[in-house]
């Protein structure tokens, strides 16, 4: 029983610390400027659930994924995200004077928002350091379920924090400015991913 708890809490602590400053947290934060907070959390959490399951099930086999292909897919997903964010950020306000960005999340269905967030994070996280860490912890402790649950709990907590902060920023800062900044940030992630693919 002690080894199960040790595996759970070790996985929680390490994954939480690793994911808090990660690009995925930043991505989650800015996704809340485009989609409903519940949809963002659901999509991101679902993507991480898949990655966590794969990590603890197959361990080091994740390193066999073709790095170049993963980078290209991540670049495409971030590029699509940048295009959506910039389009919303530079759109004209509605005739009512209400900021178009502020009404954006309400016009997007929960399912489409969650699916978009799932796809972006799912593509971007293959081979991520935290995923490899989960695989290593599962191998070390021999407790894949405890490691998986601890990792998921940490990811859920970090994602909730990012969604909360993103929601506060959307309410306090001019949405178009935040949307433009988020779009350029995603474009940077896309450029980085394509650069990594070119160098692979």
């Amino acid at each position: 029983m002690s080894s199960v708890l040790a595996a759970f809490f070790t996985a929680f602590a390490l994954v939480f610390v690793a994911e808090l400053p990660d690009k995925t947290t930043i991505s989650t934060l800015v996704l809340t400027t485009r989609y409903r907070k519940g949809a963002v959390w659901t999509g991101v959490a679902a993507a991480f659930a898949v990655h966590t399951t794969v990590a603890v099930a197959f361990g080091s086999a994740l390193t066999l994924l073709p790095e170049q292909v993963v980078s290209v897919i991540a670049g495409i997903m971030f590029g699509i995200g940048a295009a959506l964010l910039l389009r919303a950020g530079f759109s004209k306000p509605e005739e009512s004077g209400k900021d178009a960005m502020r009404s954006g999340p309400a016009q997007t269905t929960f399912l489409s928002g969650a699916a978009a967030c799932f796809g972006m994070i799912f593509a971007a996280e293959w081979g991520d350091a935290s995923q490899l860490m989960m695989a290593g912890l599962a191998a070390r402790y021999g407790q894949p379920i405890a490691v998986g649950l601890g990792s998921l709990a940490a990811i859920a907590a970090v994602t909730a924090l990012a969604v909360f902060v993103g929601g506060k920023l959307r309410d306090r800062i001019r949405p178009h400015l935040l949307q433009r900044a988020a779009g350029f940030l995603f474009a940077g992630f896309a450029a980085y991913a394509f650069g990594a693919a070119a160098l692979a």
Side-chain angles (χ1 to χ4, degrees):
M1 187 62 167
S2 59
S3 63
V4 173
L5 292 176
F8 178 90
F9 287 113
T10 300
F12 180 92
L14 292 178
V15 172
F16 186 90
V17 171
E19 285 297 328
L20 196 57
D22 191 68
K23 68 181 185 300
T24 308
T25 302
I26 298 172
S27 300
T28 302
L29 191 151
V30 297
L31 281 169
T32 60
T33 67
R34 176 63 180 155
Y35 303 106
R36 300 176 185 179
K37 290 184 283 188
V40 173
W41 188 89
T42 301
V44 173
F48 271 117
V50 175
H51 281 291
T52 301
T53 301
V54 172
V56 299
F58 298 105
S60 60
L62 292 173
T63 60
L64 301 177
L65 290 171
E67 183 178 347
Q68 190 172 25
V69 173
V70 171
S71 295
V72 168
I73 294 173
I76 291 172
M77 295 305 295
F78 277 122
I80 293 171
L84 292 173
L85 290 165
L86 290 172
R87 184 180 67 177
F90 285 99
S91 65
K92 294 181 180 179
E94 296 176 350
E95 292 180 0
S96 64
K98 186 178 181 182
D99 195 332
M101 177 52 211
R102 199 176 290 277
S103 65
Q107 295 175 346
T108 305
T109 66
F110 180 91
L111 186 59
S112 63
C117 296
F118 175 91
M120 185 170 292
I121 301 303
F122 183 81
E125 280 299 296
W126 282 114
D128 187 70
S130 61
Q131 191 180 35
L132 298 176
M133 182 190 306
M134 295 173 206
L137 288 171
R140 176 183 175 186
Y141 285 98
Q143 299 287 347
I145 294 176
V147 170
L149 291 176
S151 300
L152 283 175
I155 289 164
V158 171
T159 302
L161 180 61
V163 168
F164 174 78
V165 172
K168 292 297 183 183
L169 287 177
R170 189 179 70 214
D171 294 335
R172 295 173 183 269
I173 299 175
R174 288 187 63 188
H176 269 62
L177 296 179
L178 185 59
Q179 196 72 349
R180 292 171 190 175
F184 286 121
L185 180 65
F186 271 45
F189 286 151
Y192 177 82
F194 286 128
L199 295 175

